Amino acid sequence: MMGNGHGKYIGFQIKENENITIISKGQNLRKTLLFQAAGTPYNERYNYIVEDNASLDLCFIVMPEVNATIPITIDIQGEFSDVNLSGIYICNNNEQVTFNIIVHHRKGNNISTQLFNGIVAGNAKCSFKGTIIVAPDAQKVEAYQENRNMQLS
């Protein structure tokens, strides 16, 4: 932790033994991840490094009857990059769905957007834990995070 006069800056690193997808300079990656098999344990980690002038667009769809813990780590290491994360989850019985998201802006001049929506009923438990970290010298960063849920009785 470093003090910078504006609070505490807490950095992080993706662990070396984890799978990492690198979106290299100038590349674009768009991907939809569908979680639909009931009874299948979903515990994969989603780790991405985004370099200069790169774009990452991930959409997560969690269908009913699925239990999932979905850890997502985005490390924006380049300038002029764009990251969009979105998701929808529908839980109607005893499901447990958790999104754990960390977006780290190491450089400035980039944008990250997170929009997640859920429909929850019955005894289902869903949670969204999101963290945005902006390095002290990362200027002109736009970071948005939104989670909206509807509880049905």
Side-chain angles (χ1 to χ4, degrees):
M1 263 191 277
M2 298 183 295
N4 62 7
H6 300 287
K8 303 239 183 212
Y9 170 69
I10 302 171
F12 84 99
Q13 287 186 310
I14 298 173
K15 295 176 184 169
E16 288 184 28
N17 58 351
E18 293 183 331
N19 282 338
I20 300 170
T21 301
I22 298 173
I23 296 86
S24 299
K25 184 175 182 175
Q27 289 186 330
N28 300 310
L29 175 63
R30 187 173 192 176
K31 192 173 187 179
T32 299
L33 298 121
L34 177 61
F35 301 81
Q36 65 180 356
T40 301
Y42 290 101
N43 293 312
E44 183 177 344
R45 297 187 63 82
Y46 299 91
N47 300 305
Y48 294 87
I49 293 174
V50 182
E51 296 181 345
D52 287 321
N53 295 305
S55 168
L56 173 64
D57 190 346
L58 298 177
C59 179
F60 296 84
I61 301 171
V62 181
M63 300 302 289
E65 305 297 324
V66 170
N67 289 297
T69 298
I70 305 169
I72 305 163
T73 303
I74 310 295
D75 193 358
I76 304 173
Q77 297 182 357
E79 290 189 297
F80 306 106
S81 297
D82 186 20
V83 173
N84 293 297
L85 305 177
S86 61
I88 186 165
Y89 43 95
I90 304 166
C91 304
N92 60 0
N93 287 318
N94 294 308
E95 300 95 275
Q96 292 189 10
V97 174
T98 301
F99 285 93
N100 292 314
I101 302 172
I102 297 173
V103 176
H104 191 176
H105 293 264
R106 292 188 190 274
K107 298 279 180 103
N109 298 304
N110 53 54
I111 299 171
S112 69
T113 304
Q114 302 173 51
L115 175 60
F116 286 78
N117 294 300
I119 299 172
V120 182
N123 293 318
K125 294 181 181 174
C126 299
S127 64
F128 176 89
K129 299 171 186 171
T131 303
I132 298 170
I133 302 168
V134 179
D137 58 345
Q139 301 297 310
K140 298 183 181 178
V141 167
E142 292 183 43
Y144 304 96
Q145 182 180 72
E146 188 173 349
N147 175 237
R148 293 181 182 235
N149 298 296
M150 181 184 304
Q151 183 175 3
L152 305 176
S153 42

